Amino acid sequence: MSRALLSGARIVTLTGPGSQASVTEGAVLVEGGRILWVGPSGAAPEADTVRDLEGRLVTPGLIDCHTHLVHGGHRAGEFARRLAGASYADIARAGGGIAATVAATRAASLDDLVATALPRLDRLIGEGVTTVEIKSGYGLDIETELRMLQAARALGQARAVRVRTSFLGAHAVPPEFKADRAAYLHEVCLPALRRAAKAGLADAVDGFCEGIAFSPAEIATVFAEAKALGLPVKLHAEQLSHAGGAALAAREGALSADHLEYATPEDAAQMARAGTVAVLLPGAFYTLREATAPPVAAFRKAGVAMALATDCNPGSSPLTSPLLAMNMGCTLFGLTPGEALAGVTRHAARALGLDDVGQIAPGFRADLAIWDVEAPEELAYRIGFNPLWERFFGGIA
Ligand code: DI6
Ligand code: FE
């Protein structure tokens, strides 16, 4: 196997405790798609090829751990309605919102879903993303939920990127089941989940715990099925109100609870005990012009790992820039630039239950982003600027 050395780098390994983003001068040795060695350039082992990075910054490849990348249509019309004063919940109650995207997604073929998601995926990849999570949740019938997950898998074949899927059948109650929520859960959501699991289409199970979506008791039913199928869980929790999702996620040992604008210090304490990652989604906070930010200080104090993601979706977060998510995480939520970087690398890996990405250390996958910047803070600091110089996926540029 050939050994490739990247020398003369400034490396942010993200291996330190918490969210330290300290820079070390050095080299990374890659073999067989994995990192074999990290250390000072002068002490590097023999390699077949050597590339001088001339002081460029190397971070782990970015991980976008919460997206709804696969969907039909767009909702630019709703954007205009919200600007004119309608709230996200008003639009949802009037049959727009998620239901509008459900109609467009049901009408889309597998090929359509892949083709329309590819430009969004390419934007993420263009900013150094090497792992992306993609959810279902705009089908809300068995066939379309499965088709969304198939599209997500196809995206992972179409591009050099690792795709992790989450089944999100409990995203909204579709219009045809408004009068019988229990029937939706038992006749559509749970059977779809079983089929997705059997076909190997779901890596995790997600839900939307909210007044306009599902109650903690309803989500618990879905989580019980996930457990029976051996799948990890995660949850959209406390986004628009405090509905009890964060505590449920912690009780169930969820990988992550996501959004969390209305989470409390008590929720933070329970999440810390359970090791549940807080996934912060400033794109949705910004788009919905929310006034209540997630309790970052409480998460920090309790020792909850904080991840950051785009939440790329056609309604509340039409965002395809993890770098802008980092900037917003700092400016809107008060993260430090170091926390923002850990949020799209080390902690995002944890939110997906992955232990071979998100850090630069021997044994980890050689998923790397090389940036034309001097300091890691620059990644979060600039707005609308992309300094990616090169990206390695499994050691391949
Ligand atoms: N919370 C969100 O922000 C997205 N889903 C969710 O549960 C929004 C989905 C949409 O508006 O289409
Ligand atoms: Fe989401």
Side-chain angles (χ1 to χ4, degrees):
M1 242 181 295
S2 111
R3 292 179 166 194
L5 186 73
L6 300 171
S7 70
R10 295 159 54 73
I11 309 169
V12 193
T13 61
L14 276 304
T15 51
S19 46
Q20 275 178 27
S22 51
V23 176
T24 50
E25 311 286 335
V28 182
L29 184 68
V30 173
E31 184 186 63
R34 297 258 161 189
I35 295 164
L36 201 61
W37 177 91
V38 185
S41 293
E46 287 274 302
D48 300 293
T49 60
V50 180
R51 202 155 152 204
D52 183 2
L53 296 185
E54 297 171 333
R56 291 190 177 84
L57 195 79
V58 182
T59 68
L62 304 192
I63 300 170
D64 195 350
C65 69
H66 181 139
T67 86
H68 309 250
L69 208 69
V70 169
H71 58 260
H74 66 79
R75 308 221 300 269
E78 271 176 30
F79 173 58
R81 277 161 69 194
R82 270 190 283 107
L83 290 172
S87 77
Y88 182 74
D90 292 340
I91 291 171
R93 272 187 230 103
I98 292 174
T101 299
V102 169
T105 303
R106 287 177 178 176
S109 68
L110 176 60
D111 287 350
D112 291 340
L113 291 176
V114 173
T116 54
L118 269 175
R120 296 188 278 269
L121 178 59
D122 286 338
R123 296 305 295 228
L124 301 182
I125 288 172
E127 288 193 6
V129 167
T130 49
T131 298
V132 58
E133 185 261 13
I134 302 177
K135 303 175 193 300
S136 70
Y138 290 122
L140 311 184
D141 64 33
I142 296 176
E143 295 310 320
T144 314
E145 284 296 305
L146 296 175
R147 193 160 73 255
M148 288 186 73
L149 296 171
Q150 285 160 355
R153 289 278 190 246
L155 289 168
Q157 298 297 313
R159 292 291 186 269
V161 69
R162 187 177 190 180
V163 170
R164 299 294 285 180
T165 56
S166 300
F167 173 82
L168 180 55
H171 194 194
V173 178
E176 67 275 19
F177 280 97
K178 277 281 182 268
D180 196 350
R181 311 169 56 84
Y184 173 70
L185 283 174
H186 291 280
E187 291 165 26
V188 178
C189 185
L190 298 180
L193 170 53
R194 286 190 280 269
R195 280 187 52 187
K198 196 158 174 230
L201 287 170
D203 299 319
V205 175
D206 196 349
F208 187 17
C209 187
E210 188 59 63
I212 57 167
F214 294 94
S215 68
E218 289 169 327
I219 296 291
T221 313
V222 179
F223 280 5
E225 190 65 40
K227 199 167 277 177
L229 295 165
L231 291 172
V233 298
K234 46 187 38 258
L235 190 61
H236 289 67
E238 332 296 11
Q239 181 188 4
L240 307 169
S241 63
H242 190 267
L248 171 68
R251 263 198 317 280
E252 299 289 335
L255 290 174
S256 69
D258 302 38
H259 287 287
L260 299 167
E261 277 80 344
Y262 290 86
T264 63
E266 294 71 50
D267 294 328
Q270 293 184 55
M271 288 170 61
R273 274 197 294 277
T276 297
V277 175
V279 177
L280 307 182
L281 304 166
F285 173 89
Y286 167 85
T287 300
L288 301 182
R289 296 195 288 176
E290 285 281 332
T292 304
V296 161
F299 291 139
R300 227 180 246 140
K301 186 157 171 246
V304 175
M306 291 179 279
L308 264 177
T310 62
D311 194 17
C312 177
N313 77 66
S316 67
S317 189
L319 171 65
T320 47
S321 170
L323 292 174
L324 185 51
M326 290 169 71
N327 175 270
M328 288 176 166
C330 296
T331 302
L332 301 176
F333 292 169
L335 296 184
T336 67
E339 285 173 330
L341 183 56
V344 294
T345 53
R346 179 190 173 105
H347 296 157
R350 257 188 68 188
L352 296 178
L354 297 174
D355 59 10
D356 61 347
V357 287
Q359 299 176 49
I360 298 179
F364 279 74
R365 275 179 60 89
D367 290 356
L368 304 169
I370 303 174
W371 309 93
D372 231 335
V373 301
E374 288 177 1
E377 293 76 17
E378 283 182 74
L379 298 177
Y381 148 73
R382 295 183 195 280
I383 303 170
F385 182 74
N386 178 6
L388 187 74
W389 185 73
E390 180 97 274
R391 165 190 177 275
F392 286 87
F393 179 69
I396 297 170

